[in-house]
Amino acid sequence: MKNNLKLHDKTFKPFIEYDKIEKAIDEVAAKINKDYADSEEVPVLLCVLNGSILFTAELMKRLEFKCEIISIKLSSYSGTRSTGQVREVMGMTGSVEGKEVIIVEDIVDSGRTILDLKRILDEKGAKNSKVCTMLLKPASYKEDIPIDYVAMEIPDDFIVGFGLDYDELGRNYKDIYVLDTNMKYFILFGPPGAGKGTQAAAMAERFNLCHTSTGDLLRGEMAKGTELGLKAKALIEAGSLVPDEVVEGMIENRFNTVKGVDGFLLDGFPRTIAQAEALDKMLYKTKNKVTAVVSLMIPDEMIKERIKHRAAIEGRADDANDETIANRIATYHEKTEPLIDYYRNAGVYFEIDGTGTIEEVRERIAELCVSL
Ligand code: AP5
Ligand code: MG
């Protein structure tokens, strides 16, 4: 089966393979053939555009009695949520007056569309109508109207493929994909001054992630003068790491309290193998794992230049003297760089050229993340 699909800002994972779809269409077509085998009627198939184009074509090929086809376009979705309102967007392309109609739908969800179609068909004088859908979501179907022919039932998830779209993309895929609702855990990795904090905002906004910088959290504690802040101050100002358990606790607290995001963007964590192992354990509890480590690569000389430049603007205590900066760089090489192999072995490590303008680096990161 295929890999994940990336459509606009969302990831979809393989859900129903084409072979299974074909088989389900064979079965539903056989039922319809049986019902119409001895009928005098020449029913009209009403293809509900755009979603049911593929299904209608596949279904029609299998029908063994005389039938006509017309189409109608309605819209009931905006993004991934049903708006609950159905509009007639494009009129019907042929007459249904006095005829028997088989409404052909790609998916029946809340049933609002079916309700509106039945009303429209009544208004236009159809003799009677039946409903045939490729997919039915029994958990969300709220109407009393019977769905006469159902190829497949699915849970209440957002899907694309085989005619179904997410903001107009995805209709062309012959397999069906489901929205990947797993949380994403990105690590923005790199030496001091690599541009982690600078790049984090755009990345977090684009992918709806919670930017979590352990450095910023620790500086917040220092500014508030908390016990933790006081303990961290001396270590940070010496360019050393604070104890693993302190930052691990901060991260776990963020995971447990932040809601409404599609994932987390970790900046400055993990910084030791022990922290990486602790992170794996935290994620394992919720059946998650690190999505990708985005490593910003810049040479040591550039680190110093950038930090000196920042010292003049932000006045961070650990940017203030050469000795602290040198110690931070040495700490990175000694304690943090071993994580490269750790994540390379896990198959989630990706290097990005961190030199060039902020916009250039941002584009490189976005390109990578969209391709994952
Ligand atoms: P932390 O705050 O994480 O510092 P760091 O890792 O040393 O990283 P920086 O924040 O200095 O760099 P950055 O990559 O964010 O660069 P920025 O975007 O600002 O940690 C501080 C301390 O807290 C640690 O030393 C440790 O003591 C403690 N700590 C934190 N996490 C810990 C953990 N997990 N375990 C233990 N201890 C922990 O960019 C730098 C400058 O360059 C900016 O002025 C920016 O404008 C500029 N710039 C960025 N990109 C570009 C570009 N492309 N072109 C030109 N300029 C650029
Ligand atoms: Mg930073």
Side-chain angles (χ1 to χ4, degrees), residues 131-151:
V131 181
C132 173
T133 185
M134 176 170 72
L135 303 165
L136 171 69
K137 288 183 178 177
S140 41
Y141 186 61
K142 297 190 182 72
E143 306 299 336
D144 296 329
I145 302 164
I147 307 296
D148 308 271
Y149 306 107
V150 178

Side-chain angles (χ1 to χ4, degrees), residues 337-355:
E337 237 168 21
L339 290 175
I340 293 177
D341 278 342
Y342 183 90
Y343 286 118
R344 210 174 244 145
N345 290 339
V348 292
Y349 179 77
F350 302 91
E351 287 185 351
I352 291 282
D353 176 5
T355 65

Side-chain angles (χ1 to χ4, degrees), residues 4-202:
N4 285 354
L5 268 188
K6 193 91 197 178
L7 299 175
H8 299 294
D9 56 333
K10 305 229 176 289
T11 304
F12 294 84
K13 53 188 183 185
F15 184 47
I16 309 173
E17 287 195 55
Y18 180 59
D19 289 357
K20 204 171 160 203
I21 300 171
E22 274 203 307
K23 205 166 157 261
I25 300 175
D26 285 344
E27 284 166 12
V28 84
K31 268 187 215 148
I32 302 174
N33 280 328
K34 198 169 160 224
D35 288 357
Y36 284 87
D38 305 318
S39 168
E40 299 283 290
E41 293 287 341
V42 177
V44 178
L45 301 187
L46 177 60
C47 169
V48 187
L49 298 173
N50 291 328
S52 66
I53 283 183
L54 291 189
F55 176 51
T56 307
E58 289 292 330
L59 180 73
M60 233 186 147
K61 285 194 317 204
R62 293 163 169 82
L63 298 183
E64 293 158 356
F65 52 88
K66 283 185 198 143
C67 59
E68 297 176 11
I69 179 165
I70 60 171
S71 54
I72 189 168
K73 186 169 181 187
L74 300 170
S75 168
S76 67
Y77 277 94
S78 162
T80 56
R81 272 180 301 156
S82 173
T83 59
Q85 287 173 338
V86 178
R87 292 173 293 137
E88 186 177 359
V89 176
M90 187 175 103
M92 259 188 288
T93 57
S95 168
V96 291
E97 205 175 332
K99 295 180 184 169
E100 184 153 324
V101 177
I102 304 176
I103 298 169
V104 184
E105 265 285 29
D106 51 348
I107 184 161
V108 173
D109 194 319
S110 66
R112 292 277 320 167
T113 308
I114 296 299
L115 201 65
D116 272 48
L117 283 167
K118 290 265 186 183
R119 173 185 53 77
I120 293 167
L121 288 173
D122 276 352
E123 283 168 12
K124 303 219 186 249
K127 188 169 147 196
N128 59 47
S129 60
K130 291 186 171 179
V131 181
C132 173
T133 185
M134 176 170 72
L135 303 165
L136 171 69
K137 288 183 178 177
S140 41
Y141 186 61
K142 297 190 182 72
E143 306 299 336
D144 296 329
I145 302 164
I147 307 296
D148 308 271
Y149 306 107
V150 178
M152 283 176 285
E153 291 191 351
I154 58 163
D156 190 13
D157 294 322
F158 190 76
I159 54 164
V160 295
F162 208 84
L164 292 118
D165 72 311
Y166 168 48
D167 280 352
E168 291 310 324
L169 293 183
R171 296 192 195 276
N172 51 310
Y173 297 96
K174 65 185 182 121
D175 303 297
I176 292 178
Y177 294 77
V178 64
L179 182 66
D180 185 357
T181 50
N182 278 351
M183 292 285 273
K184 306 274 183 295
Y185 293 87
F186 284 100
I187 296 170
L188 205 43
F189 188 82
K196 302 185 293 293
T198 306
Q199 298 298 341

Side-chain angles (χ1 to χ4, degrees), residues 212-345:
T212 302
S213 156
T214 37
D216 287 349
L217 292 174
L218 290 166
R219 280 185 290 279
E221 296 290 329
M222 279 156 63
K224 282 188 271 174
T226 62
E227 196 184 325
L228 195 159
L230 291 173
K231 270 195 215 150
K233 191 173 188 301
L235 290 162
I236 289 178
E237 289 179 4
S240 308
L241 298 181
V242 303
D244 290 337
E245 56 279 12
V246 171
V247 281
E248 287 161 17
M250 287 176 148
I251 292 287
E252 189 148 34
N253 181 38
R254 286 286 265 219
F255 288 170
N256 291 337
T257 53
V258 175
K259 304 283 174 232
V261 291
D262 292 335
F264 288 82
L265 176 55
L266 305 178
D267 156 5
F269 180 90
R271 252 177 158 97
T272 62
I273 297 283
Q275 289 179 18
E277 288 169 349
L279 175 63
D280 284 346
K281 273 192 202 139
M282 281 179 222
L283 299 184
Y284 184 75
K285 284 185 206 161
T286 51
K287 299 211 167 16
N288 278 298
K289 52 189 173 130
V290 170
T291 309
V293 177
V294 180
S295 179
L296 300 179
M297 307 296 290
I298 69 163
D300 281 5
E301 309 75 63
M302 198 177 277
I303 296 179
K304 287 179 197 152
E305 264 171 49
R306 286 193 184 171
I307 289 183
K308 289 233 162 84
H309 167 80
R310 185 179 59 190
I313 303 167
E314 291 184 18
R316 258 171 64 171
D318 57 347
D319 288 349
N321 68 70
D322 290 345
E323 203 187 322
T324 305
I325 296 170
N327 197 21
R328 285 165 62 196
I329 297 172
T331 305
Y332 169 77
H333 289 308
E334 185 199 337
K335 304 248 172 68
T336 308
E337 237 168 21
L339 290 175
I340 293 177
D341 278 342
Y342 183 90
Y343 286 118
R344 210 174 244 145
N345 290 339

